[in-house]
Amino acid sequence: MKFFLNLSYRHKVPLWGGFLIIISVLAVSASFIINAYIQVEKDLAIDSQKLGHSLKLNLFSAILQDDIWRAFEIITEASQRESSGMVSVENILVVDRTQHVLVSTHPRQAPILADMHRLGPELDEIAKQIVQMNTEQQKTIYLADSKHYYSITNIANDNTSLGTLVIVHSKDVFLPLFARNAWNGLLVGTIILAILLPFNWYWGQRMALPLVQLAARMAQLGKKWPDNLDPDLYEYHDELGLLFESYKQMLNDMRNKKALEMQIVQSDRLAVIGQLAAGIAHEINNPLSGMLMAIDTLKHHTDLSPRTTKTIALIVRGLNQIKDTVATLLVEAKMNSRNLTPQDIEDVLTLISPMSGKKSLHLAWHCCLTEEVALPSTFVRQVLINLLMNAIKAASTQGEVACDIIIDNEQLQISVSNDGKMLAPEQISHMFEPFTTFSEGGHGLGLWVTYQIVSQMGGTIAAKKEANDHMNFTVKIPLGGRL
Amino acid sequence: MKTLLRLFTACFFLLIAMNATSEPFRLGMTSATARGQYPLLEEWRLYLQQKLNHPVTFVFRRSYLECMDLMEQNKLDFAWISSPAYFENVRLSNLLVTPLYHGKPFDLSYLIVPASDHDTASLLNLKDKVFAFVDPDSSTGYIETNYQLLLNNKNPENFFKKTFFTFDDQKIVAAVAIGLADAGSISGFAWDTLAQSRPDITSQTRIVLQSAVHGLSPIVARATLDRHDTLAMQRVLLNMSKDAEGIKLLTRLNIDGFAPADWKLYHNDYLMMQRTGHL
């Protein structure tokens, strides 16, 4: 039993349904068969009693006139008649009031004037029951362990009884009739089963499969992100449908939460890195400025040997490189920038056009900016140039780079995409960190700077894969954002 | 002369018309004499009608007694009955013709038992048995048996355990064959005729005894019937064996023809009836 209860709903629901259907059909069939049994018994009794009733009056007259031959002809004709098909007469006896045979259809077995009590145990029992019949006119008797059943009719006119008519039927006819009705019952049951069982199987599968899939997905939770449910699995809005809807909603919520967590972690990390980088940059900048000033002072001395002069020049170049790098890390509002105008955007386009021309790229440019907006033009231009240069570098030769600039919901939205190599999710998660490069020759600070600018202006930057397998970077900066 | 000829012709057609519309001759039959040959009897009726140039109807009754009751009520003109029925109502009718079987007007009474009964050798062996008779007015099927019992000092009233009448010779054979009756008495002519058509039934019976001869059942005419009509019927019946169509019918009736009936032929029956108290 436990084994059965532990079975999958996929098997349990159809099996339970099938079991219940079979039990129901068996119960209905059994009821049908029992009813058929009772009905056949009843019909046979009624048919036999009708026969007895129809013979009674003719026999009364024949017995009254002691016309044995006519009585014999009456019962012989009746025993040979083709009745309604229900009743088949095996023997008919007419007995007088003392249960002696007046006439029978089988005179050798029941000769005239033979004592019915001596014609075998069955007829003896019938004779006893005839004696016990008081006012009853007709009776059907089923003897236990007998191959016959008996219909007895009082041959009476008004209150004058001349004897009793005993019609002997063989149960051999009863069983085939019953079997025929029972067979009909079984046939109907089988047809119902043939219709219901496949339907039940389909319905069970239909119910269980979604549950099974849901259970499998739930089991995956905590180990990995489960796949989405098959959208065609269950399209109805009953309780089961609501369960699946809730599961989908829960899964979405969990995914969103996870993404949010990831974003927060990344933001925090980038913020820490930014602070660290800015701190280091400041710490380097101060001694660096001192070193550069000291070397500049040193260069003004004339007694320097050529070797020293060469070395000083080398140190100055190195220190300047450090300064440039540190300056890049340290994104600061070094100046008061004017507001962004459409001309700034056009300038950027002019600036990057030669680069895109070298790779024969198709540059899809779409700018909705028509007037000045309250954003520092210097930084926005830097962001736009960074994104476009990255896109041009990443795009394949004769590929496509698209740039879409719109004002939406009080935000400047810059969307740049390219048809180049897709970045892996792992790469995307670290792409805004400093010194993360995906191309040869890059120092890995472009996206870092972009990120720093955007985030310091209160905006967001996101990378995603587009439906046409293009890599897309979208920057959103709220209008009025300042460093 | 022309007028006389027209009158004669008119009278001729009038007579034919009267004849055609006159009351038919009514010939009574019992189950014993009809022997279930109703299609044959219909052909015989048409034959008689044609020969007599007069409508004929057959009236069927179960027993000889019922036939004679009809004759008494003038509802029959002729009847094919048994000699006891004739003697019991001798003033009602006159003997007309007697059938000829094997060229003779004689019949026998057979005592038959089931073929399975190998023991019964005489009537006296049938004490307390069930016995089947044809008709209370049958010489071969009733009177003869009673007479024989009386001759053997047995009382016919209680010699048998049970008796019954079938009113048909052939049914006696059936009753004995199936064992409804332990024995029966039957017209020899009827048994022989049945043996030709249904040997399967007669073979289930065994003839224990054959009696002395009786006259075959006669056809009688109502005493009050017009003599012309009586003679016309007698003539047609006597002449049946003289034309091909009549012979065919006689053959199927299993008789050779008819002879004028003579009451002496039935004298023994008369004596038996007296002895058994039927007269």
Side-chain angles (χ1 to χ4, degrees):
Chain A
M1 190 64 188
K2 199 170 177 183
F3 167 78
F4 182 76
L5 292 173
N6 284 336
L7 277 178
S8 162
Y9 262 91
R10 191 174 176 179
H11 306 298
K12 201 154 56 177
V13 170
L15 283 176
W16 263 118
F19 176 72
L20 290 177
I21 287 171
I22 289 170
I23 291 290
S24 305
V25 168
L26 283 179
V28 169
S29 294
S31 146
F32 194 89
I33 289 167
I34 290 167
N35 190 44
Y37 185 92
I38 294 167
Q39 195 59 43
V40 164
E41 207 173 76
K42 203 170 156 187
D43 286 350
L44 286 175
I46 289 172
D47 210 33
S48 182
Q49 288 185 358
K50 276 185 187 169
L51 176 64
H53 187 75
S54 69
L55 295 179
K56 187 174 78 169
L57 288 178
N58 285 335
L59 282 173
F60 184 87
S61 160
I63 294 168
L64 194 66
Q65 295 166 13
D66 196 23
D67 195 340
I68 298 297
W69 180 256
R70 189 148 69 91
F72 175 75
E73 285 185 322
I74 289 167
I75 61 173
T76 304
E77 193 276 332
S79 71
Q80 290 169 353
R81 71 172 188 158
E82 282 295 323
S83 179
S84 59
M86 294 288 287
V87 68
S88 172
V89 176
E90 189 168 300
N91 194 4
I92 299 179
L93 290 93
V94 178
V95 295
D96 63 14
R97 282 174 291 193
T98 59
Q99 287 81 55
H100 284 80
V101 176
L102 287 175
V103 66
S104 77
T105 51
H106 291 73
R108 291 192 200 283
Q109 295 163 19
I112 289 175
L113 293 183
D115 187 350
M116 201 176 163
H117 291 281
R118 296 181 179 177
L119 293 175
E122 285 191 18
L123 286 177
D124 177 43
E125 177 58 31
I126 298 300
K128 286 175 187 166
Q129 298 222 20
I130 290 172
V131 175
Q132 290 165 7
M133 270 177 77
N134 297 322
T135 54
E136 280 180 275
Q137 291 300 307
Q138 286 193 315
K139 194 173 177 181
T140 304
I141 301 169
Y142 296 92
L143 295 178
D145 302 327
S146 170
K147 290 181 178 176
H148 303 100
Y149 68 99
Y150 298 82
S151 172
I152 52 182
T153 305
N154 186 12
I155 303 172
N157 199 347
D158 292 332
N159 291 325
T160 310
S161 173
L162 296 182
T164 308
L165 171 68
V166 180
I167 305 175
V168 186
H169 299 284
S170 170
K171 278 185 181 169
D172 290 346
V173 72
F174 178 86
L175 286 174
L177 276 173
F178 168 67
R180 196 173 66 196
N181 283 335
W183 173 248
N184 285 342
L186 282 175
L187 196 66
V188 170
T190 309
I191 290 169
I192 292 171
L193 279 182
I195 295 167
L196 286 187
L197 281 182
F199 181 77
N200 166 69
W201 190 260
Y202 167 77
W203 177 80
Q205 292 279 329
R206 190 84 185 82
M207 288 293 293
L209 267 181
L211 281 174
V212 168
Q213 206 178 90
L214 183 64
R217 300 289 192 281
M218 296 287 272
Q220 288 173 355
L221 278 176
K223 298 172 191 167
K224 63 167 189 172
W225 281 108
D227 300 329
N228 284 329
L229 287 172
D230 183 358
D232 297 330
L233 200 60
Y234 199 83
E235 54 199 14
Y236 309 108
H237 296 288
D238 53 12
E239 285 74 6
L240 208 55
L242 290 177
L243 180 65
F244 298 141
E245 285 296 322
S246 300
Y247 170 77
K248 284 179 198 165
Q249 185 64 43
M250 183 192 77
L251 205 59
N252 273 340
D253 289 349
M254 287 175 75
R255 279 182 179 146
N256 289 339
K257 189 183 168 196
K258 184 72 181 172
L260 197 61
E261 282 173 3
M262 294 281 289
Q263 206 175 345
I264 289 168
V265 167
Q266 194 177 22
S267 297
D268 288 351
R269 193 172 71 228
L270 289 173
V272 168
I273 293 169
Q275 284 171 2
L276 180 66
I280 291 169
H282 273 294
E283 290 306 313
I284 291 171
N285 253 353
N286 291 335
L288 188 65
S289 298
M291 279 190 277
L292 283 170
M293 280 180 67
I295 287 171
D296 194 45
T297 307
L298 186 64
K299 278 198 300 188
H300 287 89
H301 294 278
T302 52
D303 54 349
L304 295 177
S305 66
R307 185 180 183 90
T308 305
T309 305
K310 194 176 177 183
T311 304
I312 286 170
L314 189 69
I315 290 167
V316 168
R317 281 201 302 276
L319 288 175
N320 278 331
Q321 189 178 350
I322 292 168
K323 187 183 175 185
D324 287 346
T325 303
V326 169
T328 309
L329 276 172
L330 195 62
V331 181
E332 284 178 332
K334 296 170 187 168
M335 64 196 89
N336 284 329
S337 180
R338 59 181 172 78
N339 282 343
L340 181 72
T341 64
Q343 187 56 49
D344 292 320
I345 305 298
E346 288 302 315
D347 289 347
V348 172
L349 174 61
T350 309
L351 199 63
I352 57 103
S353 287
M355 286 180 69
S356 69
K358 278 184 187 172
K359 290 184 81 172
S360 305
L361 295 176
H362 170 67
L363 187 62
W365 189 265
H366 179 243
C367 178
C368 292
L369 202 64
T370 54
E371 57 186 16
E372 184 182 300
V373 293
L375 285 171
S377 62
T378 311
F379 294 111
V380 174
R381 278 164 56 119
Q382 190 176 348
V383 166
L384 185 56
I385 288 166
N386 280 354
L387 290 177
L388 284 168
M389 284 177 68
N390 281 348
I392 288 166
K393 279 182 192 168
S396 55
T397 307
Q398 295 185 333
E400 183 177 334
V401 170
C403 178
D404 203 4
I405 300 165
I406 57 169
I407 300 290
D408 180 35
N409 199 19
E410 293 295 307
Q411 283 186 328
L412 174 72
Q413 184 174 312
I414 301 168
S415 175
V416 177
S417 58
N418 70 81
D419 66 344
K421 191 180 160 191
M422 298 302 299
L423 296 178
E426 181 62 22
Q427 290 175 312
I428 290 174
S429 64
H430 292 286
M431 68 195 305
F432 297 120
E433 293 171 13
F435 308 110
T436 302
T437 180
F438 306 119
S439 62
E440 290 177 12
H443 49 55
L445 287 172
L447 279 174
W448 153 257
V449 170
T450 305
Y451 179 85
Q452 290 299 320
I453 292 169
V454 170
S455 47
Q456 284 182 45
M457 283 197 292
T460 59
I461 178 166
K464 65 176 181 184
K465 193 173 83 170
E466 285 186 332
N468 55 1
D469 277 347
H470 286 193
M471 198 65 210
N472 175 279
F473 288 83
T474 301
V475 168
K476 291 177 183 175
I477 307 168
L479 297 183
R482 292 278 165 186
L483 284 179
Chain B
M1 185 63 188
K2 247 183 187 175
T3 311
L4 197 63
L5 190 64
R6 279 177 186 165
L7 189 65
F8 180 75
T9 311
C11 284
F12 176 74
F13 281 110
L14 187 65
L15 275 172
I16 288 175
M18 280 175 68
N19 201 27
T21 55
S22 61
E23 289 296 318
F25 291 146
R26 296 157 302 182
L27 174 58
M29 292 255 187
T30 65
S31 303
T33 48
R35 302 200 303 269
Q37 306 174 101
Y38 298 103
L40 170 59
L41 293 177
E42 175 60 15
E43 288 180 44
W44 188 29
R45 186 187 70 79
L46 293 173
Y47 173 84
L48 293 176
Q49 194 165 261
Q50 185 200 348
K51 293 293 177 187
L52 287 163
N53 195 24
H54 191 96
V56 174
T57 57
F58 284 175
V59 179
F60 296 98
R61 285 297 180 269
R62 194 172 181 225
S63 65
Y64 295 125
L65 181 64
E66 287 172 77
C67 261
M68 294 317 289
D69 284 347
L70 286 179
M71 188 160 273
E72 191 173 12
Q73 295 165 32
N74 281 340
K75 290 181 179 172
L76 282 184
D77 303 310
F78 304 96
W80 194 350
I81 53 167
S82 64
S83 53
Y86 163 71
F87 284 124
E88 282 171 6
N89 305 276
V90 73
R91 283 175 301 170
L92 285 179
S93 61
N94 296 316
L95 290 169
L96 195 66
V97 292
T98 302
L100 295 171
Y101 177 56
H102 290 162
K104 292 176 182 174
F106 300 130
D107 194 3
L108 301 171
S109 173
Y110 288 175
L111 173 66
I112 58 170
V113 293
S116 56
D117 178 358
H118 303 293
D119 303 327
T120 304
S122 83
L123 186 61
L124 299 179
N125 295 142
L126 295 169
K127 170 73 177 160
D128 290 332
K129 298 284 186 179
V130 178
F131 201 91
F133 293 118
V134 178
D135 189 302
D137 291 319
S138 167
S139 55
T140 53
Y142 184 63
I143 307 286
E144 170 71 31
T145 306
N146 283 1
Y147 178 71
Q148 291 299 329
L149 287 173
L150 287 171
L151 282 184
N152 288 285
N153 297 318
K154 303 294 179 190
N155 182 1
E157 297 295 323
N158 57 20
F159 181 75
F160 300 115
K161 183 167 70 175
K162 179 79 181 174
T163 61
F164 62 87
F165 296 96
T166 65
F167 298 96
D168 186 332
D169 291 280
Q170 293 184 2
K171 289 177 179 173
I172 292 277
V173 184
V176 172
I178 62 174
L180 185 67
D182 297 314
S185 61
I186 176 179
S187 148
F189 162 67
W191 195 94
D192 291 347
T193 305
L194 185 64
Q196 287 176 17
S197 59
R198 293 296 305 273
D200 56 314
I201 299 177
T202 53
S203 66
Q204 295 179 53
T205 61
R206 179 173 67 87
I207 300 165
V208 178
L209 287 173
Q210 295 185 0
S211 71
V213 295
H214 294 260
L216 275 164
S217 294
I219 294 177
V220 299
R222 178 159 50 84
T224 54
L225 187 67
D226 183 77
R227 182 170 170 73
H228 175 78
D229 292 340
T230 306
L231 290 175
M233 178 61 88
Q234 188 183 43
R235 188 172 59 251
V236 167
L237 291 170
L238 291 175
N239 289 336
M240 269 188 78
S241 57
K242 293 175 184 169
D243 72 75
E245 196 181 349
I247 290 169
K248 272 188 192 172
L249 288 167
L250 289 169
T251 306
R252 290 166 67 192
L253 286 164
N254 199 30
I255 54 178
D256 304 322
F258 291 97
D262 184 350
W263 76 272
K264 289 175 190 168
L265 186 63
Y266 306 104
H267 185 60
N268 277 342
D269 295 342
Y270 183 78
L271 293 176
M272 279 185 198
M273 287 177 75
Q274 280 190 322
R275 176 71 179 82
T276 55
H278 283 81
L279 283 176

